[in-house]
Amino acid sequence: RAKLSGRNRMLSYTADMGTSTDLAFNIQTELAHGLVEQQFRVYFQPKCSLLTGELVGAEALVRWERPGHGLTLPGLFIGLAEKCGLLTELDHWVMQDALRQLGEWCQAGLWTAPMRLSINQNVADLQKPDLLAQISGLLHKNALQADLLELEITEDALLEHTPEQLARLQALRDMGVSVAIDDFGTGYSSLSYLRLLPVSVIKIDRSFVASMLTDDNDAVLVRTIIDMAHDLGHSLVAEGIETLPQRERLAALGAEVGQGYLFGYPVSAQEFAVRWLPCAPAP
Ligand code: C2E
Ligand code: MG
Ligand code: MG
Ligand code: MG
């Protein structure tokens, strides 16, 4: 039955292939097949306190064990999945698998509040009336409190939000789920616009982290974003921290949380538990 629906999707995609190259089309048929065959994996990257270095959470990042190609990164397939209508299903699978894993870690006492797991949420699915029921159903099924979950939504996608999407974000917040704006700084949000968004976390894009020590304008921008986030009562996560000087500067500017290769790469659930969860704060 699952196989059949996978095939239907491929067929329905053929109808509006548009200008896609053969290569892209091949990947798309493989994607649909990969969903049916459970070829996707959720990896976890640590998020750490910039002050103490202690683990404060993780981001779930999807990977594809693509036959003949090894582990494939989302940059290659998220956009294609979106184009051929598979991203909803892929994101749902990621949420399901990540929350199942989080439930296991919580049961085992390895993961405790206030640590949070962040999951990337495509903005289009905020339009789905049943998204909240789906999320609360998965939280309930895995015996998880809503405040263990954070959704990351990219800033550029949010720029063209609908009133329904904002209402759904607010409802998620009311439920206790945190909402973060991902890749912040790349989408040209204005301060007044930011005030309208029911979010609690700003995640500054890694391009600014990469350039802030060498580019004075970007340094000013980073400082401004951090101050602005704090003025609005949001906390700040810096992504893509690769060096100690970057970490130190961001900490000095008041950013709370960091994520990046300096702390740790995204790794499989097993590896994450071995490397990171023994360091979790005692309950
Ligand atoms: P993102 O949400 O901004 O995730 C952070 C990306 O930066 C990840 O790339 C991560 O591996 C990478 N990264 C982390 N630290 C460093 C660092 O120190 N240096 C550098 N150069 N990169 C670092 P990844 O895993 O390839 O994911 C790329 C993007 O794909 C994500 O960006 C996110 O927008 C999207 N994505 C990943 N998983 C999902 C998912 O399950 N659903 C959806 N809708 N999007 C996803
Ligand atoms: Mg993210
Ligand atoms: Mg990001
Ligand atoms: Mg990013």
Side-chain angles (χ1 to χ4, degrees):
R1 198 195 159 92
K3 270 221 154 66
L4 206 117
S5 78
R7 192 163 300 137
N8 281 343
R9 272 193 313 263
M10 285 185 256
L11 290 177
S12 69
Y13 181 71
T14 355
D16 57 287
M17 257 174 63
T19 57
S20 297
T21 62
D22 283 351
L23 179 66
F25 179 68
N26 284 339
I27 296 177
Q28 285 159 2
T29 53
E30 273 182 62
L31 262 174
H33 189 68
L35 272 166
V36 175
E37 299 293 327
Q38 309 250 29
Q39 292 168 358
F40 294 91
R41 305 285 174 261
V42 179
Y43 270 43
F44 298 85
Q45 185 179 30
K47 291 188 179 184
C48 297
S49 158
L50 283 176
L51 275 184
T52 65
E54 115 189 291
L55 186 73
V56 298
E59 177 172 10
L61 294 160
V62 70
R63 301 289 182 262
W64 180 16
E65 274 179 16
R66 187 177 167 210
H69 293 83
L71 202 68
T72 303
L73 294 171
L76 191 80
F77 60 86
I78 291 284
L80 289 168
E82 189 172 16
K83 243 170 65 182
C84 60
L86 289 171
L87 190 56
T88 294
E89 191 175 340
L90 180 62
D91 274 357
H92 180 62
W93 182 85
V94 169
M95 174 89 65
Q96 206 175 316
D97 197 64
L99 292 185
R100 177 196 53 76
Q101 185 61 66
L102 184 63
E104 270 180 35
W105 286 335
C106 287
Q107 288 291 302
L110 292 172
W111 187 293
T112 47
M115 294 199 312
R116 276 195 305 236
L117 182 66
S118 304
I119 301 181
N120 293 286
Q121 171 68 58
N122 73 78
V123 76
D125 283 349
L126 288 178
Q127 203 69 36
K128 288 197 321 195
D130 59 341
L131 183 74
L132 265 84
Q134 218 170 60
I135 292 175
S136 62
L138 285 174
L139 289 169
H140 184 75
K141 180 179 168 193
N142 293 290
L144 294 166
Q145 300 285 338
D147 61 4
L148 290 166
L149 175 63
E150 179 168 291
L151 296 184
E152 295 190 0
I153 301 165
T154 56
E155 183 199 21
D156 59 344
L158 265 181
L159 280 173
E160 288 166 41
H161 62 262
T162 65
E164 290 78 33
Q165 288 169 332
L166 280 201
R168 211 138 281 139
L169 283 183
Q170 184 61 56
L172 281 162
R173 299 270 332 265
D174 294 344
M175 232 172 91
V177 174
S178 300
V179 177
I181 307 189
D182 206 347
D183 302 340
F184 190 83
T186 56
Y188 308 101
S189 296
S190 66
L191 181 61
S192 57
Y193 166 82
L194 194 59
R195 272 182 46 244
L196 294 175
L197 296 177
V199 303
S200 47
V201 179
I202 304 268
K203 212 173 164 188
I204 196 165
D205 191 66
R206 74 160 183 264
S207 59
F208 299 109
V209 173
S211 59
M212 64 180 288
L213 295 181
T214 49
D215 182 320
D216 289 344
N217 291 327
D218 282 351
V220 170
L221 207 70
V222 167
R223 200 182 61 217
T224 309
I225 291 173
I226 293 174
D227 291 346
M228 180 176 79
H230 287 159
D231 287 346
L232 291 171
H234 306 329
S235 70
L236 202 120
V237 178
E239 69 175 22
I241 302 180
E242 295 182 352
T243 68
L244 195 57
Q246 287 169 347
R247 172 185 169 172
E248 284 169 344
R249 174 71 75 89
L250 286 159
L253 291 173
E256 286 89 356
V257 173
Q259 179 181 346
Y261 299 162
L262 177 69
F263 300 100
Y265 294 96
V267 290
S268 70
Q270 260 169 325
E271 214 176 322
F272 187 81
V274 170
R275 284 202 192 173
W276 288 97
L277 293 182
C279 315

